Amino acid sequence: MNIISIEFAIASIAAVLIYYLINQKFRIGFLAILSCAFIASFNYLLLPYVLLYSLINYYIGLKLPDSKNKVLLYRTGIIFNVLQLVLLRYSSFAIDPFLHLLNSDFQVSKLSEIIVPIGISYFSLQGIGYIISVNMGWEKPEKKFLDFLLYISFFPKFLSGPVERSNHFLPQIKENLTFDESRVSLGLKIALIGFLKKIAIANQMAPFVLNSFSDLGSADGSSLIILLLLLPMYLYFDFSGYTDIAIGFAKMFGIDLLPNFNRPFFAENVTTFWKRFHISLAAWFGNYIYRQIIFKRRKWGVYSSTMFAVFITWMLFGIWHGAGWNFMLLGLLQALAINYEFFTRKFRYRLFSRWPRFLKVWFGRIFTYLFYGASLVFFFSPDIHSTVAFFSGLSAIDSSIILVILRNIPLSAIVLALLFFALELLEEDYNKLFNKLKYFWSDGWKFSRLFRWSIYSFILAMLFVLGNQAQQFIYAQF
């Protein structure tokens, strides 16, 4: 089922009403059935696979604490999770070429054409995180399979996260909730903002971005510069749009998903950027990969262990995004930047200490944005040759650049994107003014309610007009 559809919105709202009408003891089962139906709507073979995957991880987690062969069982759990991910996501890059060298025509990647592993990169991390947490004694194993199945398959987050933690998600679904109008209303508003980001901004930018990468040879230098500047915005509004929809609908069911974005383009360096962008994924890698490596390599000393841990973590982060050298280079670039920032902190502090604060802050923000934009060329390019062609085709900025923008991107999308960034700027740098705006928005003015409903109505009308432009979420491919 397409999330960006009237059918999905109506079905989800109807599900919320039924959820609060039925008895508490049936609610988890109800959400599990909804989630299974959602998964089956993409591929009917994916559902039994997710059920089997959940059952295996549930069983391993249940037996881990009291197992006589705890180490073996733990390693079996990790190997199972990694192996199924490799077989279904990376076989075309890591396994098929090796079999070809052996003169074998067998293609392991055909498995992914049969099962269509949508969401596998997300629920695999959740499964691995759960096994590690139970093994380390950070949490107790889940006793009820239906609860664990919902943790893996909960439909709002299934396609593109956030990457949930079991000790954050599972306790929430056990609470006996009553219908809370304000909570449901807030969830609807958050989801509405997500639909606006996706449909009215990201989908309007998509044709220019995707068409450019499908035919880089015909793109001129000005178009490539615009593309470089546009990539972070496009991905942000596409991905944060999905996240808002997921968080909004989950909130209506009484579940608070982990946050994924916190005004990332106002970060002043790459290290801080990754604490604000795709937060749940970066935090997962930080907790389960980076910290574990630092601990195991602590005898190397702070600097050596940190450098090694950063490179391994971010290389895996890049590989998580896909099978290909482009994604490995994407991770390598982040590792180089973060290591550079770690090892040059004192030098950079002395260098910029005499700069005016405003200049220093905005220099960091602009540089970080441009660095991320350049990194995304590796993300969007189909191969290394396309990446080289992109950077080779860049030219100096000329007067035609404004015409390129207006010719390829609807003015409404540009205005809305700038409006979102203006609000984020106020929240980031001018908090008092932002709070005053919030006060006027929420009944601080006699026409507040009329103004709010006028805005909501305008958004709904815009979504209705633009909603027929179907475009998959970028991160749904993972």
Side-chain angles (χ1 to χ4, degrees):
M1 179 181 288
N2 184 9
I3 287 183
I4 305 300
S5 65
I6 295 175
E7 293 80 9
F8 177 82
I10 293 174
S12 297
I13 293 170
V16 170
L17 296 176
I18 296 171
Y19 178 78
Y20 286 106
L21 287 173
I22 62 178
N23 190 288
Q24 166 70 22
K25 64 182 179 180
F26 300 122
R27 288 179 179 175
I28 293 175
F30 175 67
L31 287 181
I33 291 171
L34 280 180
S35 299
C36 288
F38 178 76
I39 293 169
S41 71
F42 290 96
N43 180 271
Y44 71 94
L45 290 177
L46 179 59
L47 176 57
Y49 181 81
V50 171
L51 290 171
L52 179 62
Y53 172 86
S54 301
L55 183 62
I56 292 172
N57 277 281
Y58 165 76
Y59 179 81
I60 291 173
L62 196 63
K63 297 298 181 182
L64 255 179
D66 303 319
S67 175
K68 294 180 180 179
N69 299 306
K70 187 175 180 180
V71 175
L72 177 62
L73 187 59
Y74 168 70
R75 289 177 178 174
T76 301
I78 298 299
I79 290 170
F80 162 72
N81 277 278
V82 173
L83 185 60
Q84 59 90 34
L85 183 60
V86 170
L87 289 175
L88 291 175
R89 281 277 286 136
Y90 304 104
S91 54
S92 62
F93 178 74
I95 300 176
D96 287 353
F98 177 74
L99 292 176
H100 182 70
L101 289 175
L102 299 176
N103 295 319
S104 172
D105 294 329
F106 182 74
Q107 292 182 308
V108 179
S109 57
K110 291 292 183 182
L111 279 172
S112 62
E113 296 177 14
I114 299 170
I115 296 176
V116 189
I118 295 171
I120 189 172
S121 295
Y122 290 93
F123 66 71
S124 294
L125 292 189
Q126 293 181 172
I128 293 170
Y130 173 75
I131 295 296
I132 293 175
S133 295
V134 171
N135 181 67
M136 298 294 288
W138 298 339
E139 62 181 279
K140 295 181 179 179
E142 175 54 52
K143 304 293 184 183
K144 298 179 180 178
F145 173 68
L146 211 55
D147 291 29
F148 185 80
L149 174 62
L150 187 60
Y151 160 65
I152 294 294
S153 64
F154 185 46
F155 74 94
K157 69 173 179 62
F158 184 78
L159 292 181
S160 298
V163 181
E164 268 298 324
R165 305 294 180 86
S166 49
N167 60 1
H168 176 259
F169 184 90
L170 289 169
Q172 295 186 71
I173 64 176
K174 300 179 187 299
E175 296 178 7
N176 187 9
L177 295 174
T178 56
F179 182 80
D180 184 343
E181 182 181 349
S182 62
R183 184 185 186 95
V184 173
S185 175
L186 178 59
L188 271 172
K189 293 170 185 175
I190 294 173
L192 184 64
I193 295 300
F195 282 115
L196 181 67
K197 286 179 177 179
K198 171 59 177 172
I199 295 173
I201 303 178
N203 279 8
Q204 307 311 306
M205 296 178 175
F208 174 62
V209 173
L210 302 180
N211 292 338
S212 296
F213 275 102
S214 65
D215 188 18
L216 284 173
S218 63
D220 58 32
S222 295
S223 296
L224 292 179
I225 291 172
I226 290 300
L227 189 57
L228 181 69
L229 296 174
L230 199 64
L231 289 178
M233 282 191 280
Y234 169 55
L235 185 60
Y236 174 62
F237 286 113
D238 185 273
F239 192 18
S240 69
Y242 175 90
T243 298
D244 288 343
I245 294 169
I247 289 174
F249 280 120
K251 189 174 285 292
M252 287 191 279
F253 289 109
I255 299 171
D256 290 320
L257 298 181
L258 291 169
N260 236 6
F261 297 93
N262 181 24
R263 304 183 298 280
F265 298 134
F266 295 95
E268 297 169 32
N269 52 62
V270 177
T271 305
T272 306
F273 176 84
W274 284 112
K275 294 177 182 178
R276 291 169 169 244
F277 191 95
H278 209 168
I279 299 169
S280 64
L281 179 66
W284 191 96
F285 275 93
N287 290 331
Y288 292 113
I289 304 296
Y290 175 78
R291 290 183 181 178
Q292 303 305 313
I293 295 173
I294 285 285
F295 179 76
K296 290 181 179 180
R297 298 291 178 262
R298 61 190 181 276
K299 292 182 180 179
W300 292 7
V302 175
Y303 293 107
S304 298
S305 61
T306 298
M307 179 182 289
F308 179 72
V310 167
F311 271 111
I312 296 298
T313 301
W314 287 97
M315 288 295 287
L316 291 174
F317 181 90
I319 293 170
W320 176 90
H321 282 83
W325 295 107
N326 266 21
F327 293 107
M328 295 181 71
L329 290 173
L330 171 69
L332 178 63
L333 278 175
Q334 311 313 306
L336 288 171
I338 290 170
N339 268 324
Y340 166 79
E341 290 175 354
F342 177 78
F343 288 103
T344 62
R345 282 179 300 177
K346 293 181 179 179
F347 167 75
R348 287 183 294 112
Y349 177 78
R350 290 195 301 268
L351 180 64
F352 295 109
S353 60
R354 296 182 181 180
W355 285 35
R357 172 167 172 73
F358 178 85
L359 187 61
K360 180 170 59 177
V361 166
W362 280 100
F363 176 82
R365 288 173 177 174
I366 293 171
F367 182 84
T368 302
Y369 183 91
L370 293 175
F371 173 83
Y372 185 59
S375 300
L376 288 181
V377 175
F378 293 86
F379 180 91
F380 282 98
S381 294
D383 50 50
I384 293 293
H385 297 295
S386 300
T387 305
V388 173
F390 183 99
F391 287 112
S392 300
L394 290 174
S395 63
I397 296 176
D398 58 44
S399 57
S400 67
I401 205 161
I402 303 299
L403 293 176
V404 172
I405 297 173
L406 296 177
R407 189 171 61 243
N408 291 284
I409 305 162
L411 184 61
S412 60
I414 299 171
V415 171
L416 283 172
L418 292 176
L419 179 60
F420 270 105
F421 287 139
L423 291 172
E424 290 189 355
L425 174 63
L426 289 176
E427 188 174 5
E428 183 75 23
D429 291 350
Y430 306 97
N431 201 251
K432 290 183 179 179
L433 180 56
F434 181 77
N435 287 333
K436 286 182 179 180
L437 289 177
K438 284 177 64 177
Y439 172 73
F440 283 110
W441 176 263
S442 56
D443 298 325
W445 176 40
K446 64 179 180 178
F447 297 114
S448 292
R449 180 170 295 184
L450 176 62
F451 180 70
R452 283 201 308 273
W453 281 103
S454 298
I455 296 296
Y456 295 146
S457 300
F458 177 75
I459 291 173
L460 288 171
M462 184 177 291
L463 296 180
F464 182 78
V465 171
L466 300 174
N468 62 342
Q469 301 176 15
Q471 184 69 45
Q472 184 190 39
F473 287 98
I474 296 298
Y475 264 78
Q477 63 184 296
F478 306 123

